[in-house]
Amino acid sequence: MQPATRKKIEALFERYPEKRGALIPALYLVQAENGYVDAPAARDVAELFEIKPVDVWEVLTFYNMFYTRPQGRHHVNVCTNLSCSLRGGRGLMRAIEAHLGVHAGETTKDGRITLGHEECLGSCGTAPVMQVDGRYCEELDEVEAKRIIDELD
């Protein structure tokens, strides 16, 4: 962890009645530094918060906005919950996996795209949905999804 990140985290402690309340914002800071939070970084955070590394790891692996390994330049997440599945979400996922040559949870060999699976993106009325770098792409078919992905740098 860079000294500047450590200072920012220590400054967060003043905002919360208990140090632990600053854990999620601190993890965002660490992730911004490296693009992900691996086990050594989680241990550094645990030491700073005076908690066990497993307590940090539980938070990291519970929330899908944290990454524990290197990621691609772009994040493509496909919703396969019930509404999206009923409107082709699972087929969309399979088509994107075949198009990119990776499975959900993996990154393309060129490091361009990390493909993810979302349990629910909360846009059931416009299913099937995928999220590309935080932007929702709705009412998709395979052709449109592949076009959007191919336009990413």
Side-chain angles (χ1 to χ4, degrees):
M1 178 185 324
Q2 297 293 320
T5 302
R6 178 178 289 270
K7 276 189 168 185
K8 288 178 185 175
I9 292 171
E10 289 169 348
L12 287 172
F13 293 156
E14 297 173 18
R15 295 185 191 173
Y16 296 89
E18 294 182 28
K19 257 186 181 182
R20 198 174 183 136
L23 184 56
I24 287 177
L27 291 173
Y28 272 121
L29 290 170
V30 174
Q31 184 166 277
E33 181 181 294
N34 300 319
Y36 60 99
V37 183
D38 60 6
R43 281 193 295 273
D44 289 347
V45 170
E47 183 178 309
L48 200 55
F49 277 78
E50 300 172 337
I51 58 178
K52 295 177 184 173
V54 70
D55 294 331
V56 174
W57 202 253
E58 286 173 346
V59 173
L60 282 171
T61 57
F62 179 80
Y63 294 105
N64 64 359
M65 71 271 205
F66 294 119
Y67 309 113
T68 57
R69 59 183 178 203
Q71 300 290 299
R73 292 189 308 276
H74 300 283
H75 290 103
V76 173
N77 296 307
V78 178
C79 181
T80 57
N81 205 335
L82 181 60
S83 296
C84 283
S85 290
L86 289 173
R87 299 200 62 207
R90 291 190 186 275
L92 185 66
M93 174 62 94
R94 285 191 296 273
I96 293 171
E97 287 176 330
H99 187 64
L100 294 175
V102 297
H103 293 289
E106 297 177 343
T107 301
T108 56
K109 287 182 182 175
D110 61 3
R112 191 169 69 97
I113 295 173
T114 297
L115 179 62
H117 161 264
E118 287 289 339
E119 192 54 43
C120 183
L121 287 171
S123 189
C124 302
T126 59
V129 176
M130 74 177 182
Q131 189 181 45
V132 179
D133 297 333
R135 181 176 54 95
Y136 275 37
C137 304
E138 301 165 308
E139 299 187 56
L140 290 171
D141 59 27
E142 292 177 16
V143 172
E144 179 67 4
K146 290 176 187 175
R147 185 194 63 75
I148 292 167
I149 289 169
D150 289 344
E151 288 181 354
L152 297 172
D153 62 13

